[in-house]
Amino acid sequence: MANKKTLYVFIVLLLPLSLVLFAEESLPQGYANVKLGMSLDSVKNELKKDSQFGYRGDRDVSLLPGDARVLIETDTKINAPYSFLERCWFQFYDEKLYIVTINVNPQKMDYYSIFKTLCEKYGNPDSLNPEKSEWKNDSVILSLERPLTLKYTDKAVFDKLQNDSQVKQTSEEDSRDKFLQGL
């Protein structure tokens, strides 16, 4: 009987500890100190502080057509040849960062090493195909794309932009869908 009590106490105490030790980390909101949702000026300041991005200042900033969207594009080959990164893009919507795209230097890092690390930290991807692996939660989509690109996307903004861009079906398309649903 004493052995059962000891085993029970051991399990009760060990279970919470094991959950902490083996729990997957939540998805990151960005890379280094650049986080989704940051303002343009905050991102510029962080890029200036971190030479691995190769940020050269305002000449790396441009406006995208429509809705006054801003894009920062950096190239590490010029200012940071030692970096694991190559080119990086930081896209803004409503003056907030909503996509971080990082091309990793394939001569310094490989796809499998990044994939393995992401799986160890965040579990198996939510979707997987030959072109990309994606991890998702309620706020972030983290993708590893071939040949070697990491992308951090603000899920709420991405979903909003996708919904806003959808073209409404014509009455003929609606009729067709209703017909098919009735089969």
Side-chain angles (χ1 to χ4, degrees), residues 171-181:
S171 58
E172 184 176 333
E173 291 170 325
D174 281 338
S175 295
R176 180 181 183 277
D177 287 346
K178 287 178 185 173
F179 170 77
L180 291 172
Q181 289 172 2

Side-chain angles (χ1 to χ4, degrees), residues 98-131:
Y98 85 101
I99 297 179
V100 175
T101 304
I102 298 170
N103 282 347
V104 180
N105 186 335
Q107 295 171 349
K108 296 182 179 183
M109 186 59 60
D110 62 283
Y111 185 92
Y112 179 73
S113 293
I114 294 176
F115 178 79
K116 182 180 174 213
T117 299
L118 293 175
C119 287
E120 288 170 356
K121 289 181 89 170
Y122 311 117
N124 291 331
D126 295 299
S127 67
L128 176 67
N129 64 51
E131 286 82 38

